[in-house]
């Protein structure tokens, strides 16, 4: 995440705010893809969790939610409902005013 924030010219930001920003960026990128997995944003953010020592905030929420996505036994569970809500929120949250080239580059790297 520090590399991405550097690319966005954001040098210092509290961890929760940085997590929120990256979540919005990934959600916005996923929303532009018609072929994206139903939980592409949650899956992409969850991958950041281990490298960031399992942070809180949106990345932590995504990491927790990702545990329930592929288990049929949780198809109608509150955990699955929370993952659906998190994905929807991240894809439709307040869009960032971002350079189209950067958004395109991020879009090309998400699931």
């Amino acid at each position: 995440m520090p590399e991405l924030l550097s690319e966005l010219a954001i040098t210092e930001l509290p961890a929760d705010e940085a997590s929120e920003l990256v979540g919005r960026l990934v959600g916005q990128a996923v929303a532009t893809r018609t072929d994206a997995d139903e939980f592409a944003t949650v899956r992409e953010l969850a991958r950041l969790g281990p490298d960031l020592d399992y942070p809180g905030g949106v990345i932590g929420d995504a990491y927790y939610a990702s545990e329930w996505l592929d288990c049929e036994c949780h198809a109608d569970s509150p955990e699955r409902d929370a993952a659906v809500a998190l994905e929807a929120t991240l894809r439709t949250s307040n869009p960032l005013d971002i350079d189209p080239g950067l958004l395109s580059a991020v879009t090309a790297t998400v699931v």
Side-chain angles (χ1 to χ4, degrees), residues 6-104:
S6 175
E7 185 72 25
L8 294 171
I10 299 170
T11 54
E12 289 189 36
L13 198 60
D16 283 348
E17 289 179 36
S19 176
E20 175 73 23
L21 179 64
V22 171
R24 288 174 57 200
L25 175 62
V26 172
Q28 190 171 342
V30 167
T32 67
R33 294 192 51 184
T34 57
D35 63 340
D37 175 276
E38 176 185 7
F39 294 105
T41 307
V42 169
R43 291 182 198 279
E44 197 68 31
L45 293 173
R47 287 186 183 104
L48 299 174
D51 290 339
L52 298 172
D53 197 25
Y54 306 99
V58 173
I59 293 172
D61 292 345
Y63 184 81
Y64 176 77
S66 72
E67 303 234 351
W68 311 104
L69 301 183
D70 299 318
C71 178
E72 291 299 321
C73 62
H74 283 88
D76 295 317
S77 70
E79 293 87 3
R80 176 77 172 217
D81 293 343
V84 169
L86 179 60
E87 182 75 27
T89 298
L90 291 170
R91 287 193 191 198
T92 61
S93 67
N94 187 13
L96 299 167
D97 182 18
I98 188 167
D99 180 88
L102 179 58
L103 183 59
S104 178

